[in-house]
Amino acid sequence: MGAARAASDEIPLARPVLGDAEEDAVIDVLRSGQLSLGPRVAAFEQAFAARLNVAHACAVSSGTAGLHLALRAAGVRDGDEVVTTPFSFVSSANAPVFERARPVFADIDPRTLNLDPQAAAAAVTEKTTALLPVHIFGYPADLPAFEKMGLPIVEDACEALGAVHADGTPVGGRGHPAVFGFYANKQLTTGEGGMVTTADAAVKAQIDSERNQGRGLDMGWLDHDRLGFNYRLSDLACALGLAQLDRLDAMLAGRARAAALYREALQGIDGLELPCEDSPGGDRRGWFVFVVQLPCGADRDATIRALRERGVQSKPYLPAIHLMTYYRETFGHREGEFPVCEDVAARSIALPFFPELSEGQVERVALALREVLTTAGARSR
Ligand SMILES: *Cc1c(COP(=O)(O)O)cnc(C)c1O
């Protein structure tokens, strides 16, 4: 055991499922000679939109690019405020800043870890022009509550492919611009990539233009009627995405199976908090990560080191955005502003989690965590 454990034996945090279908799909694109702006883009968009039962989808180069374009399409401008969660990947808070708007944080719900609708309502001012809820760790944010607030909504669904709201709508299928991410640890990967879904044809047209240098859809390459970016997704990436969509149900089922195994294996560890169960009302998580909150008083860094010595990767997940250096320095944030978020952020670690995680690997992780948390070493004195 210990440091001598071979690196190959270490259980990684994440691992994509990639096989012959992905290899063949990419080789086909290479042989076609059309690596970008080809037919796979629209094919991937249409298959993705159909899967979510939504009218339109726009493939973009990353989830972050998708958030940027979705906020622009929602009309967020210089000086506006966007109410969002401080418990997210930094990208959801950065996106408003790209447009010189201010991300205004509100605290999270301690059960779901998603933006608390009441706290969000209290943070709205006359400058607020959009709400940006995040479906954190794949658990559906309370969209019905946000919809009642009457403001434009952009959903960060980057962690939530496969999640379903209580009313049966897939997350990302309610019609607001909703953004997915396809980095290699996500439910579906294209290496890097993203997708914006929307019910609104005008939003689709604007994003399609702005991802491609502001080019008009029916114009020549060199005429541009608006400011744009290069946020395109290549045909290589879209071909990968199509192959991944074909196996999405199996991959989601693999993650759900791994989560159920963890729940079983981690029972009865004093003070350890597991991800919340699906609500009795019927919200269904699309499993993305398995994040546990360590018991109060446990030394997280020591726990992560001790897990590593036992061949288990883990990491703090996620840090509170408002306490990151850029946010402290730019917006003057301090400890104590969002106590629920800060408590969760201080105690959370992500455990290895991917569709092909085996029962034996789950048992090894659980045994290691149980050992580490029940020896005095992981407790702060
Ligand atoms: C992955 C992720 C994103 C987007 O990440 P990209 O690396 O830009 O694709 C945005 N928000 C959240 C919550 C994420 O997990």
Side-chain angles (χ1 to χ4, degrees):
M1 282 266 256
R5 184 186 281 281
S8 61
D9 200 21
E10 192 170 78
I11 306 175
L13 265 177
R15 200 177 66 201
V17 181
L18 299 167
D20 291 345
E22 283 79 4
E23 288 182 19
D24 292 345
V26 170
I27 287 169
D28 281 350
V29 178
L30 288 176
R31 291 188 177 149
S32 79
Q34 181 147 24
L35 305 192
S36 198
L37 290 168
R40 268 81 173 181
V41 180
F44 183 34
E45 289 174 338
Q46 280 157 20
F48 197 89
R51 161 109 205 172
L52 268 61
N53 203 16
V54 66
H56 308 286
C58 316
V60 288
S61 54
S62 69
T64 306
L67 286 166
H68 185 191
L69 295 186
L71 284 170
R72 286 175 60 90
V76 171
R77 302 275 179 271
D78 194 346
D80 290 357
E81 293 180 354
V82 175
V83 174
T84 190
T85 170
F87 190 66
S88 175
F89 183 58
V90 67
S91 156
S92 56
N94 283 348
V97 183
F98 299 160
E99 291 297 313
R100 296 191 198 80
R102 184 188 178 94
V104 172
F105 299 116
D107 213 342
I108 58 172
D109 178 290
R111 186 181 82 86
T112 67
L113 312 184
N114 280 322
L115 182 61
D116 177 344
Q118 266 185 299
V124 169
T125 73
E126 68 279 3
K127 289 187 184 168
T128 309
T129 54
L131 305 173
L132 204 177
V134 179
H135 305 278
I136 202 69
F137 304 159
Y139 196 88
D142 189 354
L143 263 292
F146 293 118
E147 285 160 357
K148 289 197 188 100
M149 291 166 60
L151 283 158
I153 294 173
V154 169
E155 299 176 46
D156 181 338
C158 286
E159 303 193 351
L161 186 55
V164 183
H165 290 284
D167 64 5
T169 324
V171 163
R174 298 184 82 82
H176 319 287
V179 183
F180 293 85
F182 304 140
Y183 180 70
N185 69 338
K186 302 279 154 95
Q187 286 95 335
L188 177 158
T189 187
T190 60
E192 300 280 0
M195 190 75 83
V196 185
T197 55
T198 173
D200 186 339
V203 168
K204 163 78 175 157
Q206 182 174 341
I207 292 178
D208 282 358
S209 168
E210 290 188 359
R211 73 179 170 188
N212 190 20
Q213 315 285 10
R215 181 186 176 192
L217 296 178
D218 50 2
M219 279 187 233
W221 173 242
L222 295 174
D223 195 11
H224 302 264
D225 58 357
R226 66 172 87 224
L227 179 66
F229 307 84
N230 180 355
Y231 284 165
R232 294 187 304 265
L233 192 63
S234 73
D235 272 54
L236 286 165
C238 289
L240 260 178
L242 280 164
Q244 289 268 291
L245 261 186
D246 280 342
R247 61 164 96 243
L248 181 60
D249 284 323
M251 292 193 294
L252 292 172
R255 285 184 194 262
R257 179 198 50 88
L261 290 172
Y262 266 133
R263 261 196 213 296
E264 188 72 27
L266 292 172
Q267 265 176 26
I269 301 181
D270 210 20
L272 184 76
E273 291 174 50
L274 303 185
C276 74
E277 304 257 15
D278 289 349
S279 77
D283 283 326
R284 274 187 283 138
R285 190 192 296 267
W287 280 100
F288 168 56
V289 280
F290 200 87
V291 172
V292 297
Q293 290 164 55
L294 297 182
C296 297
D299 180 335
R300 181 167 61 177
D301 292 340
T303 303
I304 289 171
R305 274 198 306 274
L307 287 174
R308 183 100 205 204
E309 282 161 15
R310 289 164 172 79
V312 174
Q313 286 188 5
S314 63
K315 73 170 176 192
Y317 203 80
L318 292 149
I321 297 174
H322 65 289
L323 299 181
M324 293 180 176
T325 306
Y326 173 77
Y327 281 86
R328 288 175 187 265
E329 289 178 354
T330 310
F331 299 102
H333 288 297
R334 292 289 173 266
E335 276 85 2
E337 285 181 85
F338 308 107
V340 182
C341 167
E342 290 169 31
D343 172 59
V344 171
R347 294 195 291 125
S348 296
I349 63 170
L351 299 177
F353 193 69
F354 45 87
E356 294 175 334
L357 193 69
S358 73
E359 197 166 345
Q361 286 175 315
V362 168
E363 276 162 16
R364 248 181 72 199
V365 174
L367 181 64
L369 190 59
R370 197 177 291 275
E371 264 175 31
V372 168
L373 289 177
T374 50
T375 54
R379 301 272 174 179
S380 55
R381 281 138 278 246

